Amino acid sequence: MRQAIILGTCLAVVALALGACAPAPPPPTPTVADRSYSVRGEIVRLPDPADPQYEIWIRHEAIPDFTTDSGEVVGMDAMTMPFGVADGLDLSTVAVGDKILFTLTVSWADRAQPARVTAIEKLSEETELTFAPPH
Ligand SMILES: [Cu+2]
């Protein structure tokens, strides 16, 4: 009797799982390989641990070889914008206003947050950053 109940429960779970899987959309196809850029900038805002987005705001210098999700090199002007933060990246050694050199890793397959900071290091306060558009 007890085995019959357990078996019945298992079948119900399997049926639910199949039902949930049936209309799944096809997985996104990454068109461009992951790419990393070495970028300099200044920290404008650190991520709020309570915010599920967990983004760092950086005023960054131009990224001349920035590549779109279709593989086109379009570059990115200097600007202030948010970036995702790689899991486990230690931000305890940096503060708002710090000049930094960071690695920006762009993974277009990650539709929710393709651009993440994967490494960060503090530059000296005397470092001169350039935010003017290139001419
Ligand atoms: Cu930008």
Side-chain angles (χ1 to χ4, degrees), residues 60 76-77 79 81 83:
H60 69 76
M76 190 189 282
D77 288 345
M79 67 180 77
M81 64 182 284
F83 294 104

Side-chain angles (χ1 to χ4, degrees), residues 9-85:
T9 305
C10 288
L11 288 175
V13 168
V14 169
L16 275 175
L18 286 175
C21 285
T29 320
T31 52
V32 171
D34 292 4
R35 181 146 184 198
S36 291
Y37 309 86
S38 229
V39 189
R40 301 194 310 174
E42 194 175 308
I43 297 177
V44 173
R45 195 200 298 166
L46 285 167
D48 174 1
D51 179 0
Q53 289 269 69
Y54 200 73
E55 292 174 325
I56 184 172
W57 284 75
I58 299 172
R59 185 182 188 198
H60 69 76
E61 291 189 327
I63 310 170
D65 53 346
F66 188 83
T67 307
T68 66
D69 58 352
S70 56
E72 195 185 349
V73 179
V74 293
M76 190 189 282
D77 288 345
M79 67 180 77
T80 301
M81 64 182 284
F83 294 104
V85 177

